[in-house]
Amino acid sequence: TRAGARALWGKACEDQQTVPFGPLFEAILRADPPICDVTALRELSTRRDSGFWVVRDLQAAIADAASSAPLSIVIDDIHWADAATIVALQGLVTGLAQVPVLWTFAMRSAGGRAEVRDVISAMAAGDGTSSHLVRLGALDGDAVAQIAGDVIGVTVDESVMRLAELAHGNPFLVVELISGLHEEKRIEVATGRG
């Protein structure tokens, strides 16, 4: 956004893998103003032969929106995406290669469906696109302490850090572990430290 791009964001969810185009529609619904007629797109997506038409309409809408300002479209947890979203993204990334759109797909190295991870990896290695695959390693101790502190709202001490180390630098696991312990009142907050 600071660079002048319009940011759109959607998230694939494990329990919504049967919802066609779910993460894409979420990104479009969050856009203010929307980049296309969301009602018409939803109605179109309920048809059995909708895939082609949804991709065509999305491609035209994204290209039109990108003509005013570059777009950054982020889909988080793409490893949980439904099949229709994955097929649509393949067509959109290829079809919009010459349009100022930055596509960012975040996925775990494990989890989700292997075929989705394979397609996203192939897209990242795609011919004719300027794509980059960025692998993030484990978080260092300072980053883990920051996340743990953010979760419980205070600076954490060594006892909490020893617990957080059980997550081996995985940010998702750090959040789940610390928030779970905090909710169960297993982390005591005293004088601004956990």
mmCIF file of all heavy atoms in Angstrom, residues 105-144:
data_model
loop_
_atom_site.group_PDB
_atom_site.id
_atom_site.type_symbol
_atom_site.label_atom_id
_atom_site.label_comp_id
_atom_site.label_asym_id
_atom_site.label_seq_id
_atom_site.Cartn_x
_atom_site.Cartn_y
_atom_site.Cartn_z
ATOM 1 N N PHE A 105 1.284 -16.002 -2.556
ATOM 2 C CA PHE A 105 0.605 -17.168 -1.992
ATOM 3 C C PHE A 105 1.434 -17.672 -0.819
ATOM 4 O O PHE A 105 2.622 -17.972 -0.979
ATOM 5 C CB PHE A 105 0.460 -18.291 -3.022
ATOM 6 C CG PHE A 105 -0.189 -17.844 -4.304
ATOM 7 C CD1 PHE A 105 0.453 -17.997 -5.512
ATOM 8 C CD2 PHE A 105 -1.443 -17.258 -4.296
ATOM 9 C CE1 PHE A 105 -0.135 -17.587 -6.698
ATOM 10 C CE2 PHE A 105 -2.044 -16.836 -5.471
ATOM 11 C CZ PHE A 105 -1.378 -17.014 -6.676
ATOM 12 N N ALA A 106 0.822 -17.757 0.332
ATOM 13 C CA ALA A 106 1.524 -18.250 1.519
ATOM 14 C C ALA A 106 1.015 -19.647 1.830
ATOM 15 O O ALA A 106 -0.191 -19.885 1.869
ATOM 16 C CB ALA A 106 1.285 -17.319 2.699
ATOM 17 N N MET A 107 1.967 -20.567 2.021
ATOM 18 C CA MET A 107 1.567 -21.931 2.360
ATOM 19 C C MET A 107 2.627 -22.568 3.239
ATOM 20 O O MET A 107 3.796 -22.198 3.212
ATOM 21 C CB MET A 107 1.339 -22.776 1.112
ATOM 22 C CG MET A 107 2.562 -23.142 0.337
ATOM 23 S SD MET A 107 2.117 -24.188 -1.063
ATOM 24 C CE MET A 107 3.707 -24.448 -1.785
ATOM 25 N N ARG A 108 2.179 -23.507 4.029
ATOM 26 C CA ARG A 108 3.095 -24.266 4.861
ATOM 27 C C ARG A 108 3.781 -25.321 4.003
ATOM 28 O O ARG A 108 3.240 -25.783 3.010
ATOM 29 C CB ARG A 108 2.343 -24.962 5.989
ATOM 30 C CG ARG A 108 1.728 -24.002 6.962
ATOM 31 C CD ARG A 108 1.077 -24.743 8.108
ATOM 32 N NE ARG A 108 0.030 -23.898 8.646
ATOM 33 C CZ ARG A 108 -1.104 -24.341 9.139
ATOM 34 N NH1 ARG A 108 -1.356 -25.624 9.165
ATOM 35 N NH2 ARG A 108 -1.992 -23.508 9.593
ATOM 36 N N SER A 109 4.964 -25.705 4.423
ATOM 37 C CA SER A 109 5.688 -26.736 3.678
ATOM 38 C C SER A 109 5.039 -28.100 3.863
ATOM 39 O O SER A 109 5.224 -28.999 3.049
ATOM 40 C CB SER A 109 7.153 -26.785 4.112
ATOM 41 O OG SER A 109 7.239 -26.993 5.504
ATOM 42 N N ALA A 110 4.284 -28.260 4.923
ATOM 43 C CA ALA A 110 3.547 -29.502 5.168
ATOM 44 C C ALA A 110 2.124 -29.113 5.544
ATOM 45 O O ALA A 110 1.868 -28.016 6.012
ATOM 46 C CB ALA A 110 4.194 -30.299 6.291
ATOM 47 N N GLY A 111 1.200 -30.018 5.313
ATOM 48 C CA GLY A 111 -0.194 -29.720 5.603
ATOM 49 C C GLY A 111 -0.919 -29.414 4.310
ATOM 50 O O GLY A 111 -0.319 -29.110 3.290
ATOM 51 N N GLY A 112 -2.222 -29.480 4.366
ATOM 52 C CA GLY A 112 -2.998 -29.257 3.156
ATOM 53 C C GLY A 112 -2.865 -30.427 2.206
ATOM 54 O O GLY A 112 -2.361 -31.489 2.546
ATOM 55 N N ARG A 113 -3.291 -30.208 0.991
ATOM 56 C CA ARG A 113 -3.251 -31.275 -0.009
ATOM 57 C C ARG A 113 -1.963 -31.170 -0.825
ATOM 58 O O ARG A 113 -1.585 -30.093 -1.284
ATOM 59 C CB ARG A 113 -4.483 -31.172 -0.900
ATOM 60 C CG ARG A 113 -5.771 -31.394 -0.117
ATOM 61 C CD ARG A 113 -7.027 -31.488 -0.969
ATOM 62 N NE ARG A 113 -7.047 -30.765 -2.206
ATOM 63 C CZ ARG A 113 -7.537 -29.532 -2.350
ATOM 64 N NH1 ARG A 113 -8.014 -28.880 -1.323
ATOM 65 N NH2 ARG A 113 -7.549 -28.960 -3.529
ATOM 66 N N ALA A 114 -1.326 -32.285 -1.026
ATOM 67 C CA ALA A 114 -0.056 -32.316 -1.769
ATOM 68 C C ALA A 114 -0.229 -31.784 -3.182
ATOM 69 O O ALA A 114 0.646 -31.074 -3.685
ATOM 70 C CB ALA A 114 0.495 -33.745 -1.798
ATOM 71 N N GLU A 115 -1.361 -32.070 -3.823
ATOM 72 C CA GLU A 115 -1.558 -31.606 -5.200
ATOM 73 C C GLU A 115 -1.628 -30.076 -5.271
ATOM 74 O O GLU A 115 -1.183 -29.478 -6.240
ATOM 75 C CB GLU A 115 -2.787 -32.246 -5.857
ATOM 76 C CG GLU A 115 -4.105 -31.983 -5.175
ATOM 77 C CD GLU A 115 -4.489 -32.978 -4.088
ATOM 78 O OE1 GLU A 115 -3.624 -33.728 -3.614
ATOM 79 O OE2 GLU A 115 -5.674 -32.999 -3.709
ATOM 80 N N VAL A 116 -2.161 -29.436 -4.231
ATOM 81 C CA VAL A 116 -2.199 -27.975 -4.203
ATOM 82 C C VAL A 116 -0.785 -27.430 -4.047
ATOM 83 O O VAL A 116 -0.382 -26.507 -4.760
ATOM 84 C CB VAL A 116 -3.114 -27.458 -3.073
ATOM 85 C CG1 VAL A 116 -3.012 -25.946 -2.926
ATOM 86 C CG2 VAL A 116 -4.557 -27.871 -3.334
ATOM 87 N N ARG A 117 -0.016 -28.006 -3.125
ATOM 88 C CA ARG A 117 1.375 -27.564 -2.944
ATOM 89 C C ARG A 117 2.159 -27.737 -4.240
ATOM 90 O O ARG A 117 2.960 -26.880 -4.613
ATOM 91 C CB ARG A 117 2.037 -28.330 -1.803
ATOM 92 C CG ARG A 117 1.528 -27.909 -0.435
ATOM 93 C CD ARG A 117 2.400 -28.436 0.696
ATOM 94 N NE ARG A 117 2.775 -29.827 0.596
ATOM 95 C CZ ARG A 117 2.045 -30.845 1.044
ATOM 96 N NH1 ARG A 117 0.885 -30.620 1.619
ATOM 97 N NH2 ARG A 117 2.468 -32.080 0.925
ATOM 98 N N ASP A 118 1.917 -28.842 -4.962
ATOM 99 C CA ASP A 118 2.619 -29.087 -6.225
ATOM 100 C C ASP A 118 2.271 -28.029 -7.271
ATOM 101 O O ASP A 118 3.147 -27.534 -7.990
ATOM 102 C CB ASP A 118 2.296 -30.484 -6.770
ATOM 103 C CG ASP A 118 2.873 -31.598 -5.909
ATOM 104 O OD1 ASP A 118 3.748 -31.315 -5.052
ATOM 105 O OD2 ASP A 118 2.436 -32.756 -6.087
ATOM 106 N N VAL A 119 0.994 -27.663 -7.381
ATOM 107 C CA VAL A 119 0.569 -26.664 -8.362
ATOM 108 C C VAL A 119 1.173 -25.306 -8.025
ATOM 109 O O VAL A 119 1.696 -24.612 -8.906
ATOM 110 C CB VAL A 119 -0.974 -26.573 -8.442
ATOM 111 C CG1 VAL A 119 -1.416 -25.350 -9.229
ATOM 112 C CG2 VAL A 119 -1.548 -27.835 -9.059
ATOM 113 N N ILE A 120 1.136 -24.923 -6.767
ATOM 114 C CA ILE A 120 1.689 -23.623 -6.368
ATOM 115 C C ILE A 120 3.194 -23.594 -6.606
ATOM 116 O O ILE A 120 3.734 -22.604 -7.120
ATOM 117 C CB ILE A 120 1.344 -23.303 -4.902
ATOM 118 C CG1 ILE A 120 -0.174 -23.199 -4.718
ATOM 119 C CG2 ILE A 120 2.044 -22.033 -4.429
ATOM 120 C CD1 ILE A 120 -0.845 -22.140 -5.561
ATOM 121 N N SER A 121 3.879 -24.669 -6.298
ATOM 122 C CA SER A 121 5.323 -24.737 -6.558
ATOM 123 C C SER A 121 5.612 -24.640 -8.048
ATOM 124 O O SER A 121 6.555 -23.965 -8.465
ATOM 125 C CB SER A 121 5.906 -26.030 -5.987
ATOM 126 O OG SER A 121 5.790 -26.034 -4.586
ATOM 127 N N ALA A 122 4.797 -25.300 -8.870
ATOM 128 C CA ALA A 122 4.977 -25.226 -10.325
ATOM 129 C C ALA A 122 4.718 -23.810 -10.829
ATOM 130 O O ALA A 122 5.424 -23.324 -11.720
ATOM 131 C CB ALA A 122 4.046 -26.220 -11.018
ATOM 132 N N MET A 123 3.726 -23.138 -10.257
ATOM 133 C CA MET A 123 3.454 -21.756 -10.648
ATOM 134 C C MET A 123 4.634 -20.851 -10.281
ATOM 135 O O MET A 123 5.006 -19.969 -11.051
ATOM 136 C CB MET A 123 2.169 -21.246 -9.994
ATOM 137 C CG MET A 123 0.917 -21.829 -10.598
ATOM 138 S SD MET A 123 -0.594 -21.480 -9.662
ATOM 139 C CE MET A 123 -0.612 -19.720 -9.594
ATOM 140 N N ALA A 124 5.228 -21.090 -9.123
ATOM 141 C CA ALA A 124 6.377 -20.276 -8.692
ATOM 142 C C ALA A 124 7.573 -20.491 -9.603
ATOM 143 O O ALA A 124 8.373 -19.582 -9.807
ATOM 144 C CB ALA A 124 6.741 -20.606 -7.249
ATOM 145 N N ALA A 125 7.681 -21.682 -10.170
ATOM 146 C CA ALA A 125 8.790 -21.985 -11.072
ATOM 147 C C ALA A 125 8.414 -21.753 -12.529
ATOM 148 O O ALA A 125 9.182 -22.082 -13.421
ATOM 149 C CB ALA A 125 9.219 -23.439 -10.875
ATOM 150 N N GLY A 126 7.240 -21.169 -12.767
ATOM 151 C CA GLY A 126 6.672 -21.044 -14.104
ATOM 152 C C GLY A 126 7.518 -20.293 -15.106
ATOM 153 O O GLY A 126 8.240 -19.368 -14.775
ATOM 154 N N ASP A 127 7.407 -20.750 -16.337
ATOM 155 C CA ASP A 127 8.069 -20.089 -17.454
ATOM 156 C C ASP A 127 7.317 -18.818 -17.814
ATOM 157 O O ASP A 127 6.092 -18.766 -17.776
ATOM 158 C CB ASP A 127 8.103 -21.017 -18.680
ATOM 159 C CG ASP A 127 8.945 -22.247 -18.427
ATOM 160 O OD1 ASP A 127 9.893 -22.150 -17.635
ATOM 161 O OD2 ASP A 127 8.638 -23.301 -19.020
ATOM 162 N N GLY A 128 8.047 -17.795 -18.186
ATOM 163 C CA GLY A 128 7.441 -16.561 -18.667
ATOM 164 C C GLY A 128 6.906 -15.658 -17.578
ATOM 165 O O GLY A 128 6.289 -14.652 -17.859
ATOM 166 N N THR A 129 7.097 -16.025 -16.326
ATOM 167 C CA THR A 129 6.649 -15.160 -15.240
ATOM 168 C C THR A 129 7.835 -14.763 -14.391
ATOM 169 O O THR A 129 8.832 -15.476 -14.315
ATOM 170 C CB THR A 129 5.613 -15.871 -14.342
ATOM 171 O OG1 THR A 129 6.221 -17.008 -13.734
ATOM 172 C CG2 THR A 129 4.389 -16.301 -15.119
ATOM 173 N N SER A 130 7.740 -13.625 -13.796
ATOM 174 C CA SER A 130 8.754 -13.204 -12.832
ATOM 175 C C SER A 130 8.289 -13.684 -11.478
ATOM 176 O O SER A 130 7.545 -13.002 -10.787
ATOM 177 C CB SER A 130 8.899 -11.684 -12.825
ATOM 178 O OG SER A 130 9.411 -11.235 -14.039
ATOM 179 N N SER A 131 8.674 -14.878 -11.122
ATOM 180 C CA SER A 131 8.205 -15.451 -9.869
ATOM 181 C C SER A 131 9.385 -15.801 -8.980
ATOM 182 O O SER A 131 10.492 -16.056 -9.458
ATOM 183 C CB SER A 131 7.347 -16.683 -10.135
ATOM 184 O OG SER A 131 8.100 -17.644 -10.842
ATOM 185 N N HIS A 132 9.113 -15.786 -7.715
ATOM 186 C CA HIS A 132 10.128 -16.101 -6.731
ATOM 187 C C HIS A 132 9.515 -16.974 -5.658
ATOM 188 O O HIS A 132 8.406 -16.701 -5.192
ATOM 189 C CB HIS A 132 10.682 -14.831 -6.072
ATOM 190 C CG HIS A 132 11.192 -13.833 -7.054
ATOM 191 N ND1 HIS A 132 12.427 -13.936 -7.638
ATOM 192 C CD2 HIS A 132 10.622 -12.725 -7.569
ATOM 193 C CE1 HIS A 132 12.601 -12.930 -8.473
ATOM 194 N NE2 HIS A 132 11.509 -12.178 -8.451
ATOM 195 N N LEU A 133 10.234 -17.978 -5.266
ATOM 196 C CA LEU A 133 9.817 -18.832 -4.168
ATOM 197 C C LEU A 133 10.675 -18.449 -2.973
ATOM 198 O O LEU A 133 11.906 -18.470 -3.046
ATOM 199 C CB LEU A 133 10.021 -20.311 -4.522
ATOM 200 C CG LEU A 133 9.649 -21.319 -3.449
ATOM 201 C CD1 LEU A 133 8.168 -21.222 -3.114
ATOM 202 C CD2 LEU A 133 9.988 -22.723 -3.929
ATOM 203 N N VAL A 134 10.039 -18.057 -1.907
ATOM 204 C CA VAL A 134 10.751 -17.658 -0.695
ATOM 205 C C VAL A 134 10.414 -18.668 0.385
ATOM 206 O O VAL A 134 9.245 -18.834 0.745
ATOM 207 C CB VAL A 134 10.330 -16.236 -0.251
ATOM 208 C CG1 VAL A 134 11.042 -15.850 1.034
ATOM 209 C CG2 VAL A 134 10.593 -15.224 -1.350
ATOM 210 N N ARG A 135 11.410 -19.346 0.878
ATOM 211 C CA ARG A 135 11.215 -20.306 1.976
ATOM 212 C C ARG A 135 11.657 -19.645 3.262
ATOM 213 O O ARG A 135 12.779 -19.155 3.359
ATOM 214 C CB ARG A 135 12.025 -21.565 1.741
ATOM 215 C CG ARG A 135 11.553 -22.363 0.548
ATOM 216 C CD ARG A 135 12.238 -23.731 0.502
ATOM 217 N NE ARG A 135 12.000 -24.374 -0.749
ATOM 218 C CZ ARG A 135 10.898 -25.067 -1.042
ATOM 219 N NH1 ARG A 135 9.959 -25.183 -0.155
ATOM 220 N NH2 ARG A 135 10.752 -25.629 -2.232
ATOM 221 N N LEU A 136 10.762 -19.638 4.211
ATOM 222 C CA LEU A 136 11.077 -19.046 5.496
ATOM 223 C C LEU A 136 11.500 -20.133 6.469
ATOM 224 O O LEU A 136 10.838 -21.160 6.573
ATOM 225 C CB LEU A 136 9.856 -18.303 6.058
ATOM 226 C CG LEU A 136 9.296 -17.186 5.173
ATOM 227 C CD1 LEU A 136 8.056 -16.585 5.823
ATOM 228 C CD2 LEU A 136 10.346 -16.122 4.917
ATOM 229 N N GLY A 137 12.588 -19.893 7.150
ATOM 230 C CA GLY A 137 13.065 -20.838 8.155
ATOM 231 C C GLY A 137 12.403 -20.574 9.496
ATOM 232 O O GLY A 137 11.479 -19.760 9.625
ATOM 233 N N ALA A 138 12.906 -21.252 10.490
ATOM 234 C CA ALA A 138 12.389 -21.086 11.845
ATOM 235 C C ALA A 138 12.707 -19.687 12.359
ATOM 236 O O ALA A 138 13.714 -19.081 11.997
ATOM 237 C CB ALA A 138 13.016 -22.136 12.758
ATOM 238 N N LEU A 139 11.827 -19.173 13.191
ATOM 239 C CA LEU A 139 12.044 -17.871 13.809
ATOM 240 C C LEU A 139 13.161 -17.955 14.842
ATOM 241 O O LEU A 139 13.313 -18.975 15.513
ATOM 242 C CB LEU A 139 10.767 -17.394 14.500
ATOM 243 C CG LEU A 139 9.546 -17.174 13.623
ATOM 244 C CD1 LEU A 139 8.346 -16.821 14.486
ATOM 245 C CD2 LEU A 139 9.806 -16.085 12.601
ATOM 246 N N ASP A 140 13.900 -16.861 14.990
ATOM 247 C CA ASP A 140 14.927 -16.833 16.031
ATOM 248 C C ASP A 140 14.271 -16.518 17.382
ATOM 249 O O ASP A 140 13.079 -16.208 17.467
ATOM 250 C CB ASP A 140 16.038 -15.831 15.694
ATOM 251 C CG ASP A 140 15.567 -14.389 15.628
ATOM 252 O OD1 ASP A 140 14.508 -14.051 16.214
ATOM 253 O OD2 ASP A 140 16.275 -13.579 15.000
ATOM 254 N N GLY A 141 15.047 -16.581 18.432
ATOM 255 C CA GLY A 141 14.531 -16.384 19.788
ATOM 256 C C GLY A 141 13.880 -15.035 20.008
ATOM 257 O O GLY A 141 12.854 -14.934 20.694
ATOM 258 N N ASP A 142 14.460 -13.976 19.427
ATOM 259 C CA ASP A 142 13.882 -12.638 19.592
ATOM 260 C C ASP A 142 12.491 -12.555 18.957
ATOM 261 O O ASP A 142 11.571 -11.966 19.529
ATOM 262 C CB ASP A 142 14.791 -11.567 18.987
ATOM 263 C CG ASP A 142 16.077 -11.379 19.764
ATOM 264 O OD1 ASP A 142 16.119 -11.770 20.956
ATOM 265 O OD2 ASP A 142 17.047 -10.842 19.182
ATOM 266 N N ALA A 143 12.342 -13.152 17.780
ATOM 267 C CA ALA A 143 11.038 -13.130 17.102
ATOM 268 C C ALA A 143 10.016 -13.959 17.877
ATOM 269 O O ALA A 143 8.854 -13.565 18.002
ATOM 270 C CB ALA A 143 11.178 -13.641 15.674
ATOM 271 N N VAL A 144 10.442 -15.107 18.401
ATOM 272 C CA VAL A 144 9.548 -15.950 19.205
ATOM 273 C C VAL A 144 9.102 -15.175 20.440
ATOM 274 O O VAL A 144 7.927 -15.181 20.813
ATOM 275 C CB VAL A 144 10.233 -17.279 19.587
ATOM 276 C CG1 VAL A 144 9.416 -18.039 20.624
ATOM 277 C CG2 VAL A 144 10.425 -18.145 18.341
#
